[in-house]
Structure formats: structure tokens, C-alpha cells
Amino acid sequence: MARSMNTRRPATLASLAAELGVSRTTVSNAYNRPDQLSPELRRRVLETARRLGYPGPDPVARSLRTRKAGAVGLLLTENLSYAFRDPAAVGFLEGLSLACEEAGQGLLLVPANPEREDVAAVHRAGVDGFVVYSVPDDDPHLAAVLERPVPTVVCDQPDVDSVDRVGIDDREAIAAVARHLIELGHRRIGVVCMRLARDRNDGFVSVQRQREAHFHVQRARLAALADTFGEVGVQWADVPVVERFDHSISCGATAAGQLLDRDPDLTAIICTSDILGLGALNEARRRGLRVPQDLTVTGFDGITEAERAGLTTVRQPVLEKGRAAGRLLMDNADHGRPRTVTLDTELVIGTTAAAPKSSDQWYGP
């Protein structure tokens, strides 16, 4: 369609300045440095800009001049909807957003499908720095982030040399769960864990796969369980561990079903997240098992839904993780060595853990 001959061209910074009889710097200051103008002059500039249809300074041009994008990039190797669906991710995102608000920064989500290796979104992201949220150590998107000449902070995983990190002591946190179950008398246990690597696996995992996991948080949690139960004679090779690639309540339910199908005499199922734990609770109820009388179930994270369900779990400060990661990124002065912020966790004793029905179900001492 031909353009109408009567269509007026939008005003530019130069034409607006000419209309007002002021310098282009004055017009720019009305938007970017209002403290440099009197309230009356700024009001006159903005009113004239609205009348002439001037949209304001070009943010792309401004970023080219200042070499600042005014935004933080959040890399999570999940589909975009995950950031708004997973309760722990939502809490982290809220904390990071608060830190960005404090610093007057925007936030750009840079999602990356975990089953693809297209890193174009990382290269295209116009950001001043990255927060990397829980990715495997061999993730190509992480490698692309580290190639960018901008500051980076990792939350949870992986542990990268020369990169700042925010996280918790995963080993000690889940060891507290193990010690609690041991004190109750549990020896016949099963485990449901989150994904261990970028390749999709939805089933039982060998000890070798556990030890070689590229998600070091899951690797650390499984190793801590193995060590803690090993202290009371439980042979970890005999403990069934089921992995789920996708993180959902339904996946937790099917994983718990696999464990119980293999060993109906399990007395406890330990889950490495609350989402998986809620699924395990659903599966137990579906099978007519009473929790905790017939089966103990535990989780990890301390999300609201888990506390509402009475799940025995580990509460970690997901909101504070996000805030700490953001603040660490904004404070990007040269500190000479990578900084690590380790946040506290708390074992929450809920109503889903109790002593096994009889000691003859134990194995080991």
C-alpha cells in the first residue's frame, strides 16, 4: 500500500530542539538527566515532544554511545514458562528482580531449551552482565555466556573457576534429612532425583551416572546421601535411584511408582526437590499407602505448597538467592578473586516422616 502523502514524519531530537530553540543536549537531559533542567523547562520539553510525536531518545543509539544496556540477563536452560511455573524459580526470579529494582536495572530472561544447542539468544542479548541459574557444567549456553566480556554470577551450579557464585551447602543440607531418617530407623530407602545430565533419562540410574552427573548440585546431594547412609551400613549400590528429566509433580509421581514397583517394601522415598516430593505423596495416596505410617516421603526446597502439605523438607532461601546474585553482579568491582556467597538452610520436620512400621524391614545395622 502506498504511503499517504499527508503522513507526517515523526519528530527527531534535532527538530524538537529547533522547535524549542534549545540545544539537543537540553532535550536529551529532559529524558536522561532531569536534574540538569528546571522543572518548568523540562515540562515544556516533554509537552512539546508529545505534541510533535517525539518518542524519546533511541535506546539502541544510547546503548551504543554509553556501552551500557541497562539490563541484567538471566540465563536458565529451560523453556521460558519454567521461570513462572516452578515455585523455586519464581522465588529466585523475585529476588533477582528486587536487586535489579534497587540498582535501576532492567531484567532480560534468556531461556534456552535444554535439549538444543542453539546459543544465538545468548549472543543477541543486550545486557551488561549475566546471572546463570542452575545449569550443567557442560552446557553450551554457559560457555557462550563466559565468552561475553561482561560480569557473570552463577547461582547454584556449576562451580566455575574465576566466576562469582551464590548457593547453599547442598551436601550438609540433604545430609540433615538422611540423619533424621536414620534416627527414625529407615534403612530401606529409594531416591527420586532431578536430571543429572543434558541427555534425557527417565529411569533408574547407576552409581557411575550419579558420580559423573553434570549437574553438580544433584551429584552432591546423592553423594551426601550415599555417605551418610553408608555410615550405618547401607550399601548405596543397593539403593534404587530414579531420575526425571522434567521437573513436575506428575514426574515425581511416576518416579515414585517405579521405585515402589521395584521394591514395595521401601520404607522411605527421598526426593531432591519438593515438586518431586509432592508427586511422590500423590502416588503413595493413589496406591492406598498411608504417609507416614506406611511410607515416609521427604523433599527439598521449602516451597509454600510443600509446607502446606506438611512435607518434611529442607528450606532454602530462594528469594534471597536471587537478591544476593543480583547484588553480587551489580558490585562488579575487581575483587581479585571469585566471591562465593553460601546461604543457610533449615531442616523442616513435617508430618510425612515417621519410624518404619517394623524393624524387620531394615537392612544393615
Side-chain angles (χ1 to χ4, degrees):
M1 181 181 295
R3 175 187 284 187
S4 169
M5 297 298 292
N6 296 322
T7 300
R8 186 173 67 179
R9 298 175 114 186
T12 65
L13 185 145
S15 64
L16 179 59
E19 173 77 13
L20 289 161
V22 299
S23 69
R24 287 184 290 181
T25 299
T26 297
V27 174
S28 177
N29 284 343
Y31 291 90
N32 299 319
R33 302 178 68 189
D35 59 304
Q36 300 295 306
L37 305 183
S38 69
E40 173 58 27
L41 178 55
R42 182 169 187 260
R43 181 189 62 76
R44 189 158 65 90
V45 170
L46 297 179
E47 285 183 354
T48 304
R50 282 193 291 271
R51 177 169 58 82
L52 298 181
Y54 176 62
D58 184 349
V60 175
R62 181 175 183 273
S63 68
L64 289 173
R65 289 195 305 273
T66 64
R67 296 186 179 275
K68 293 291 184 182
V72 170
L74 171 61
L75 175 73
L76 65 160
T77 50
E78 298 287 348
N79 294 316
L80 182 59
S81 60
Y82 183 85
F84 304 95
R85 185 179 69 249
D86 181 83
V90 169
F92 176 83
L93 187 59
E94 180 181 357
L96 180 57
S97 299
L98 290 172
C100 289
E101 289 173 6
E102 292 171 0
Q105 293 286 302
L107 180 61
L108 175 67
L109 299 186
V110 187
N113 189 306
E115 297 183 275
R116 297 178 185 170
E117 296 195 3
D118 182 5
V119 299
V122 173
H123 294 310
R124 289 195 306 263
V127 297
D128 299 318
F130 281 97
V131 172
V132 177
Y133 181 56
S134 196
V135 306
D137 55 26
D138 64 343
D139 193 284
H141 306 91
L142 170 65
V145 164
L146 297 179
E147 290 172 357
R148 296 277 302 267
V150 295
T152 300
V153 173
V154 170
C155 182
D156 287 340
Q157 56 191 342
D159 193 355
V160 181
D161 291 341
S162 76
V163 176
D164 295 337
R165 179 177 172 270
V166 175
I168 61 173
D169 186 339
D170 286 279
R171 285 188 61 94
E172 177 54 33
I174 205 161
V177 174
R179 288 192 293 268
H180 177 58
L181 296 193
I182 288 169
E183 290 170 1
L184 289 174
H186 292 281
R187 303 293 187 273
R188 196 161 195 148
I189 63 167
V191 179
V192 176
C193 71
M194 296 170 66
R195 76 173 71 130
L196 300 177
R198 289 193 293 134
D199 62 304
R200 178 175 287 273
N201 178 60
D202 291 304
F204 292 97
V205 293
S206 66
V207 172
Q208 180 178 356
R209 181 174 174 84
Q210 296 172 44
R211 291 173 177 167
E212 296 175 354
H214 288 283
F215 284 90
H216 91 242
V217 164
Q218 297 300 303
R219 185 173 71 236
R221 292 180 190 177
L222 292 172
L225 291 174
D227 291 346
T228 307
F229 277 98
E231 292 172 1
V232 293
V234 175
Q235 298 298 312
W236 192 250
D238 297 330
V239 174
V241 178
V242 172
E243 175 184 358
R244 280 295 180 266
F245 188 85
D246 295 321
H247 190 224
S248 66
I249 290 176
S250 61
C251 285
T254 57
Q258 279 188 282
L259 288 174
L260 293 169
D261 285 343
R262 172 172 287 193
D263 187 352
D265 293 326
L266 290 178
T267 66
I269 294 179
I270 301 171
C271 301
T272 64
S273 81
D274 284 345
I275 291 294
L276 297 176
L278 291 171
L281 288 177
N282 289 347
E283 178 62 15
R285 295 189 186 104
R286 190 187 73 81
R287 291 174 178 248
L289 296 174
R290 298 168 302 161
V291 176
Q293 295 92 334
D294 300 325
L295 181 69
T296 281
V297 176
T298 67
F300 195 108
D301 283 330
I303 64 175
T304 300
E305 294 86 340
E307 294 191 10
R308 191 179 299 126
L311 188 65
T312 291
T313 187
V314 171
R315 182 186 294 125
Q316 61 168 321
V318 290
L319 187 146
E320 188 53 38
K321 267 188 182 180
R323 194 198 300 265
R327 287 176 172 171
L328 206 59
L329 186 71
M330 311 302 177
D331 178 22
N332 58 10
D334 185 4
H335 294 271
R337 58 182 180 181
R339 298 164 292 170
T340 299
V341 176
T342 303
L343 302 173
D344 293 333
T345 60
E346 177 189 0
L347 176 63
V348 178
I349 306 299
T351 59
T352 63
K357 286 190 297 186
S358 61
S359 61
D360 62 359
Q361 290 180 305
W362 300 2
Y363 57 76

